[in-house]
Amino acid sequence: GEPANNTSNTLEKAKQQGFVAVGFANEKPYAYATPDGKLTGEAVEVARAVLQRMGIAEMNGVLTEFSSLIPGLKAERFDIITAGMFINPQRSKEVSFANPEYSIGEALAVKKGNPQKLHSYKDLAANKELKVAVMTGAIENEYLIKSGVGKEQIVTVPDQPSAISALQAGRVHAVTMTGPSLQANLDSAKDAELERVMDFTQPEVDGSSVRGYGAAAFRKDDTAFRDAFNAELAKLKQSGELLEILKPFGFTEQELPGDMTADKLSGE
Ligand SMILES: CC1=N[C@H](C(=O)O)[C@@H](O)CN1
């Protein structure tokens, strides 16, 4: 971890006030607002359970684009990112991740019948005429580049519904995001002209199949907050409560984070 820096009182302030502001990007099933305005999702409910055990009863959601989550945290627009963001070395230079709360794979959607016969990122790389839509700031950008997909093949969009729209309009041949998000977006699009590629091969980076591990993220000087969060999260893992929190959002035992840690994923 980072050297402790005790100049921050974010944790004490949150405890005193009984609430904390959290950043989210409206990505179902990780963190989203329901039609009646309630903040929920896998990452939100894990954080809610952890924070309540820490004596912080309420979370106020601050909606922002995915690519603005890290800048927004650093600018103190909110104090925790609860968006299921994957831990990686690059992001870990900017924020302090809690330990992972779930793990997940990637998915691809195409036009009905899969006209280009796309089953992997490598299939996209093999034909430079093909275009794929990805959310700005999302990890899939990196996976695509590492799979040999050209920068000019990647159409970045501000959010996932815009990626689906690009596919519907024929501006791209495919869209990619994590499996649960892709499913949620297809379910809400209700478009029989689109389909999820069921026989999709997970991308490989450095010779091994990638798997994303999502976690809450804190500012670098909020190590005490992060450590206290980790302590309660560990108890939820130990007791099996974590899985119970994840289940309503479609996650199973397969998606538990196991003994993976933020340190391992940060390249430390
Ligand atoms: C939950 C999530 N994970 C990936 C990421 O962290 O970049 C992206 O797929 C965006 N959303």
Side-chain angles (χ1 to χ4, degrees):
E2 287 289 305
N5 173 340
N6 297 321
T7 57
S8 172
N9 64 351
T10 310
L11 173 58
E12 287 317 312
K13 214 175 81 185
K15 279 186 176 171
Q16 264 163 34
Q17 294 180 334
F19 66 83
V20 63
V22 301
F24 74 109
N26 236 4
E27 183 181 7
K28 206 172 176 178
Y30 302 105
Y32 58 97
T34 61
D36 57 343
K38 193 177 164 274
L39 178 66
T40 190
E42 163 279 320
V44 168
E45 298 309 332
V46 171
R48 197 189 304 283
V50 168
L51 292 167
Q52 278 175 354
R53 285 162 172 78
M54 291 168 63
I56 303 162
E58 301 284 337
M59 298 164 75
N60 294 344
V62 179
L63 176 62
T64 185
E65 284 179 5
F66 189 83
S67 60
S68 298
L69 287 168
I70 289 179
L73 179 70
K74 294 173 86 171
E76 302 190 14
R77 291 185 52 222
F78 39 84
D79 294 322
I80 316 178
I81 300 171
T82 57
M85 184 182 279
F86 291 0
I87 305 165
N88 75 1
Q90 197 189 338
R91 290 171 177 167
S92 300
K93 289 195 182 85
E94 303 203 55
V95 300
S96 199
F97 282 102
N99 283 320
E101 62 208 21
Y102 77 97
S103 75
I104 205 68
E106 297 301 331
L108 198 70
V110 293
K111 279 281 172 74
K112 188 175 93 184
N114 197 359
Q116 276 82 29
K117 303 274 167 275
L118 302 174
H119 299 283
S120 64
Y121 289 179
K122 282 200 176 123
D123 288 342
L124 287 164
N127 180 353
K128 301 297 175 206
E129 304 282 292
L130 297 177
K131 295 216 176 339
V132 56
V134 189
M135 184 166 69
T136 307
I139 206 97
E140 291 80 16
N141 288 283
E142 180 189 321
Y143 295 165
L144 286 163
I145 296 289
K146 289 193 170 154
S147 301
V149 175
K151 277 208 166 80
E152 67 291 346
Q153 291 182 260
I154 302 173
V155 175
T156 50
V157 289
D159 51 41
Q160 295 168 336
S162 306
I164 299 292
S165 302
L167 180 61
Q168 286 172 318
R171 289 196 299 275
V172 297
H173 303 89
V175 307
T176 184
M177 56 190 82
T178 66
S181 291
L182 188 80
Q183 199 53 55
N185 274 276
L186 288 177
D187 290 349
S188 73
K190 293 190 183 70
D191 184 345
E193 295 306 308
L194 305 183
E195 71 178 41
R196 179 172 177 178
V197 175
M198 294 316 292
D199 46 354
F200 176 70
T201 302
Q202 290 298 313
E204 282 187 13
V205 172
D206 302 326
S208 53
S209 185
V210 298
R211 188 150 183 91
Y213 288 83
F218 299 80
R219 280 186 293 277
K220 283 282 184 184
D221 57 2
D222 279 330
T223 336
F225 203 167
R226 194 270 319 263
D227 291 348
F229 190 98
N230 270 343
E232 293 299 333
L233 177 63
K235 292 182 202 164
L236 294 182
K237 290 183 183 178
Q238 188 77 39
S239 67
E241 286 166 277
L242 178 64
L243 181 57
E244 297 309 313
I245 298 169
L246 297 181
K247 270 182 184 168
F249 301 100
F251 296 81
T252 70
E253 229 164 308
Q254 315 267 355
E255 283 81 35
L256 285 174
D259 55 9
M260 187 55 85
T261 64
D263 277 354
K264 276 188 210 160
L265 296 159
S266 305
E268 284 176 39

